[in-house]
Amino acid sequence: MLSLALGLLLQVVRGLEYTLIQNYNASNFFDGFTFFTGQDPTGGFVDFLSYELALNKSLIDNISDVVYLAVDHTNVISLDGPGRPSVRLESKMTFTEGLFVLDLLHLPVGCGTWPAFWTVGLGDWPANGEIDIIEGVNDATGNDASLHAAGECTVSKDVDQTGKWKSTDCNIGHDKNQGCGTTFTEPYNFGPDFNTNGGGVYAMEWTNSSINIWFFSPENVPESLFSPSPDTNDFGIPGASFSGPCSDSFAQKFFNHTLIIDTTFCGGWGGGTFGTGEETQCPLVDSAGPDASCKSFVAMNPQAFNETYWAIKSLTIWQ
């Protein structure tokens, strides 16, 4: 009995024992994802291209051990069309719980942009839940991580995290589907500063009782992260930590998720906040509202999207 107790204690101290189940990199990335070509569910001013079209238009590449996912940055776009060409990738595999690690060199930036790395259930949204790991719009400088759930779901604000709470109510009906979310505060975690600092690593640990998300700049990546079995106890305080009281039902609210990486434009969030805020540089058009100004800017200024691309070194999943 003593040895059993010691074994259980050691497991708690060391954290969960993880085994690598998937490693997406430049050699196999496009084999593991499908290219979504339908209308953007978030209402974005975007034309999501197929693999063949994206390759033909040089929006995707996998050279020098890096995966590139870009947007059209050479053509003026008609305001009457679907929007600026981009890509939205969805993983062929589905996941419930685990440790998800995205190693990046570059994030999409720019007025009108809405890049995101997230997981979402395959059932009727939001029945299986949604976890937004990396997300931001326009000229934001801080990453917003959030959960979106069906039914009553509130998480505790009294947790150890470095981020700043936006809301603790995860229900989609709360405040126009804001969800429960946290804005990261670590230096260089999003926007142009992320790119000039050489990128970084985002890690999300998803269990049936908590969801924690960390950001590590290149100089602060814990050695354990890329070991044969990462130990999240070495990761430090997460930027976002979601747990209790709703976490008692996380297993019923978040399951069977596909991974999505995309860049859209304007839409419900990006268009609604375009040109707002004290420090924004996104230009409002005279006599036009934020959304119309966003679409006009995105359509008429292709050169503004030279830096609107993902540069991915790897995406690893552990369970």
Side-chain angles (χ1 to χ4, degrees):
M1 292 295 294
L2 179 60
S3 61
L4 176 61
L6 289 173
L8 291 173
L9 177 61
L10 180 61
Q11 184 176 13
V12 170
V13 170
R14 293 184 58 193
L16 298 175
E17 293 285 342
Y18 282 110
T19 300
L20 182 68
I21 65 166
Q22 188 64 45
N23 181 10
Y24 300 106
N25 52 52
S27 69
N28 65 357
F29 199 91
F30 296 124
D31 296 329
F33 288 80
T34 61
F35 281 66
F36 174 85
T37 57
Q39 186 175 358
D40 182 12
T42 65
F45 182 57
V46 65
D47 184 14
F48 287 128
L49 303 186
S50 67
Y51 169 80
E52 290 78 14
L53 280 175
L55 187 64
N56 180 260
K57 292 181 178 295
S58 300
L59 300 194
I60 59 173
D61 212 332
N62 58 340
I63 59 174
S64 302
D65 295 326
V66 177
V67 176
Y68 291 93
L69 309 175
V71 305
D72 178 280
H73 58 274
T74 59
N75 298 293
V76 172
I77 303 300
S78 170
L79 280 169
D80 296 326
R84 184 161 295 282
S86 181
V87 293
R88 168 174 163 147
L89 277 65
E90 303 182 351
S91 66
K92 295 178 181 178
M93 292 182 65
T94 59
F95 308 91
T96 299
E97 303 178 12
L99 178 63
F100 303 78
V101 180
L102 184 63
D103 190 359
L104 295 164
L105 290 175
H106 192 280
L107 279 171
V109 296
C111 289
T113 63
W114 183 353
F117 169 52
W118 47 301
T119 76
V120 67
L122 295 178
D124 290 338
W125 184 89
N128 300 8
E130 174 183 331
I131 306 170
D132 299 324
I133 304 167
I134 304 175
E135 190 174 25
V137 295
N138 299 314
D139 46 5
T141 57
N143 175 52
D144 285 321
S146 58
L147 308 183
H148 303 266
E152 183 177 345
C153 185
T154 302
V155 293
S156 174
K157 70 179 186 336
D158 298 320
V159 294
D160 285 333
Q161 67 171 33
T162 60
K164 180 180 179 181
W165 282 112
K166 296 179 69 175
S167 170
T168 56
D169 189 344
C170 311
N171 180 269
I172 63 163
H174 165 64
D175 197 15
K176 299 180 180 180
N177 187 32
Q178 175 177 279
C180 53
T182 294
T183 300
F184 279 55
T185 58
E186 289 86 355
Y188 318 119
N189 74 80
F190 197 78
D193 287 347
F194 176 94
N195 299 330
T196 57
N197 195 53
V201 175
Y202 273 92
M204 186 264 285
E205 183 179 42
W206 169 14
T207 75
N208 63 6
S209 61
S210 66
I211 295 173
N212 293 315
I213 302 172
W214 293 263
F215 166 71
F216 306 107
S217 56
E219 63 274 15
N220 293 321
V221 177
E223 292 184 8
S224 164
L225 193 57
F226 294 107
S227 70
S229 183
D231 185 352
T232 57
N233 285 330
D234 296 336
F235 290 8
I237 299 173
S241 183
F242 304 97
S243 62
C246 179
S247 60
D248 290 342
S249 61
F250 271 5
Q252 290 76 48
K253 293 186 178 297
F254 302 94
F255 59 94
N256 199 27
H257 281 199
T258 186
L259 306 177
I260 300 178
I261 303 173
D262 74 326
T263 305
T264 187
F265 301 94
C266 303
W269 185 15
T273 59
F274 186 89
T276 64
E278 294 181 358
E279 299 181 4
T280 184
Q281 299 298 311
C282 302
L284 288 172
V285 177
D286 291 342
S287 74
D291 187 60
S293 297
C294 184
K295 290 178 180 177
S296 177
F297 181 85
V298 169
M300 303 304 295
N301 296 278
Q303 73 284 350
F305 305 105
N306 290 329
E307 293 296 314
T308 308
Y309 66 90
W310 298 83
I312 302 168
K313 295 172 67 176
S314 67
L315 169 58
T316 51
I317 295 96
W318 311 73
Q319 285 185 340

